[in-house]
Amino acid sequence: MTQDSKSGTSRRAFLRGSLAAGTAIAGAGMARAAGPEPLITEVQPWAQGLGDGVDATPYGLPIEFESDVIRRNVPWLTADPISSINFTPIHALDGTITPQGCAFERHHSGAIELAKPDYRLMVNGLVDKPLVFTYADLERFPRENHVYFCECAANTGMEWAGAQLNGAQFTHGMIHNMEYTGVPLRTLLEEAGADLSGDKWVYVEGADASSNGRSIPMEKALDDVLVAFKANGEALRKEHGYPVRLVVPGWEGNMWVKWLRRIEVMDGPVESREETSKYTDVMADGSARKWTWVMDAKSVVTSPSPQSPITHGPGPLVITGLAWSGHGKITRVDVSRDGGMTWETARLAREAEDKALTRFYLDIDWDGSEMLLQSRAMDETGYVQPTKAQLREVRGLNSVYHNNCIQTWHVKENGEAENVEVS
């Protein structure tokens, strides 16, 4: 019998025993009910009167008991929050879709307010007819819906030199995964009669003060890039580029230009600040490599983790996390409980989607001993997520961007966890 099947059998036996004996999980372990459970047998305050009416919250908000599930920043990370980032509470979420209200933000000059009537998008450069679209114009084109992850190139960047931040939200929370609705960029380029030959590029920029201009090869522009105006079925939030943003699946988040205002077809890249002095990878010899757009396969255990400790003591335990790849679909995730010496194949919650987050689970019976938890993702190209040592061997210690190393959590006997490095 495999270890996984043993865990499944033990779990089923535990659940049957719990139901038969009328036990309740309390504190650090299981306890047989000594008598009637007041929360069941007695009428509670919430059942003695009327609740809120249907119009109490015209736009639904999370209940107060979940008030800790919020984006958070790291104050010392940047000089000013106007040009900074906050982090998705991935440790507190399940499934794969990130609610807009807690999806990470990254701004270069602050989140602007741009109303739909004032919105304009220009397509110019090497085109037969330069065009300017209103928001209403974009809504008239055939649209598509796709689920994609958006990951900042600097996600996990503080971990290059060693374990730094104590929490999955802070080590891996510069990511979100949403269903985007919009018009393929190809459609707008064709409408303008753009030169679509393979050696051309498009330069995209936003309407905010920073403009955040980035160059995109024509091949990618014609593939799966989306001019999006909805996320998770509703309008984009202000901090995510309302009313229109670019979606560049699988590529670093800096290229997902928000408040998109201009698309210029060009003979070559612009070599802007955001693709030369920034968003390039510094190597061990001091040189820098650029055009490293794709976010390689990566994963992280979100629970147990420093912000999501084990509180129930030994027994059935669900280890869960997220995996993703900018190259396509995740095909497998392995989990190690001993710092990478042995691995178990996790269960994927559902068939993986292209360039989207995949949820994985490993159901075990925890005996209360220490664990060095790791996860390792593989994608459909055969790429295997590397260790920190493997990355450093190639790139040294000076990098910030594109750190897709295997993460380690030290889970202690009391269920608490901390960020550590295994060498």
Side-chain angles (χ1 to χ4, degrees):
M1 183 179 291
T2 65
Q3 190 165 6
D4 283 353
S5 61
K6 286 181 180 177
S7 297
T9 302
S10 175
R11 180 176 296 269
R12 288 190 293 272
F14 160 72
L15 292 175
R16 286 196 302 269
S18 296
L19 291 172
T23 59
I25 295 178
M30 287 86 66
R32 186 181 298 273
E37 170 54 69
L39 287 173
I40 295 176
T41 61
E42 298 178 8
V43 179
Q44 299 300 312
W46 51 82
Q48 296 179 25
L50 302 178
D52 291 338
V54 294
D55 291 328
T57 52
Y59 189 92
L61 300 172
I63 195 166
E64 61 179 322
F65 310 120
E66 299 295 321
S67 61
D68 61 323
V69 183
I70 57 174
R71 295 179 286 220
R72 290 181 168 88
N73 70 353
V74 177
W76 53 260
L77 194 59
T78 55
D80 194 294
I82 295 299
S83 180
S84 190
I85 196 161
N86 59 24
F87 303 80
T88 303
I90 58 173
H91 65 286
L93 304 178
D94 214 316
T96 59
I97 297 298
T98 311
Q100 284 203 74
C102 61
F104 90 100
E105 306 172 52
R106 168 70 169 112
H107 308 311
H108 292 259
S109 55
I112 63 172
E113 294 189 0
L114 176 57
K116 290 178 183 177
D118 297 326
Y119 179 76
R120 298 294 184 272
L121 172 61
M122 179 169 66
V123 179
N124 69 325
L126 301 177
V127 300
D128 291 338
K129 48 180 179 179
L131 295 174
V132 175
F133 300 100
T134 65
Y135 183 89
D137 291 333
L138 295 179
E139 287 189 309
R140 298 176 65 185
F141 284 97
R143 66 190 70 166
E144 297 181 0
N145 295 277
H146 298 281
V147 176
Y148 294 123
F149 76 82
C150 175
E151 182 183 16
C152 179
N155 199 22
T156 321
M158 288 80 74
E159 303 296 305
W160 266 109
Q164 299 291 324
L165 300 174
N166 210 33
Q169 180 171 19
F170 302 112
T171 59
H172 290 73
M174 297 183 195
I175 192 169
H176 56 65
N177 190 67
M178 297 196 278
E179 182 189 56
Y180 288 98
T181 301
V183 180
L185 177 55
R186 172 190 281 271
T187 301
L188 301 184
L189 293 174
E190 290 176 342
E191 186 75 9
D195 185 340
L196 304 181
S197 54
D199 61 343
K200 297 298 184 285
W201 291 63
V202 297
Y203 182 69
V204 294
E205 63 181 14
D208 59 318
S210 74
S211 79
N212 191 40
R214 289 300 306 259
S215 305
I216 301 174
M218 184 61 73
E219 181 181 11
K220 178 66 173 177
L222 299 179
D223 181 19
D224 53 10
V225 177
L226 203 65
V227 176
F229 41 78
K230 302 285 185 183
N232 295 345
E234 63 178 354
L236 294 167
R237 298 292 173 89
K238 177 176 74 172
E239 62 268 28
H240 297 138
Y242 178 93
V244 176
R245 78 171 305 163
L246 202 66
V247 170
V248 189
W251 287 23
E252 61 188 28
N254 177 258
M255 305 186 78
W256 295 45
V257 173
K258 295 184 288 189
W259 313 290
L260 181 66
R261 79 176 188 101
R262 190 167 73 90
I263 303 166
E264 182 175 356
V265 181
M266 311 183 74
D267 282 321
V270 168
E271 307 272 2
S272 71
R273 185 186 86 107
E274 304 301 337
E275 51 201 17
T276 52
S277 67
K278 304 296 181 184
Y279 298 97
T280 54
D281 304 315
V282 179
M283 307 297 281
D285 62 1
S287 64
R289 63 174 189 168
K290 62 179 181 179
W291 308 144
T292 54
W293 305 295
V294 180
M295 305 305 292
D296 290 322
K298 188 172 178 178
S299 67
V300 64
V301 172
T302 55
S303 180
S305 65
Q307 294 168 285
S308 183
I310 303 170
T311 58
H312 54 63
L317 172 68
V318 177
I319 298 173
T320 185
L322 295 166
W324 60 96
S325 174
H327 293 286
K329 297 179 181 179
I330 290 294
T331 56
R332 174 174 157 180
V333 179
D334 292 338
V335 173
S336 177
R337 293 187 254 169
D338 53 18
M341 291 188 292
T342 62
W343 296 89
E344 302 167 76
T345 299
R347 170 174 57 90
L348 303 186
R350 53 184 286 183
E351 183 178 352
E353 296 180 277
D354 185 47
K355 304 179 185 73
L357 292 188
T358 298
R359 172 67 61 176
F360 63 86
Y361 298 103
L362 183 68
D363 306 314
I364 70 167
D365 285 301
W366 183 50
D367 62 7
S369 60
E370 292 184 315
M371 294 186 288
L372 290 173
L373 273 183
Q374 298 180 338
S375 62
R376 178 179 66 189
M378 285 151 266
D379 66 28
E380 60 184 339
T381 70
Y383 181 94
V384 180
Q385 182 181 359
T387 64
K388 277 189 178 181
Q390 289 171 325
L391 276 182
R392 288 170 179 164
E393 186 176 346
V394 176
R395 295 170 57 189
L397 295 173
N398 295 324
S399 286
V400 172
Y401 306 114
H402 296 274
N403 183 359
N404 66 316
C405 69
I406 291 174
Q407 175 67 42
T408 308
W409 305 127
H410 174 208
V411 180
K412 305 173 186 178
E413 293 177 347
N414 64 3
E416 295 178 353
E418 67 175 322
N419 182 7
V420 299
E421 182 169 334
V422 173
S423 58

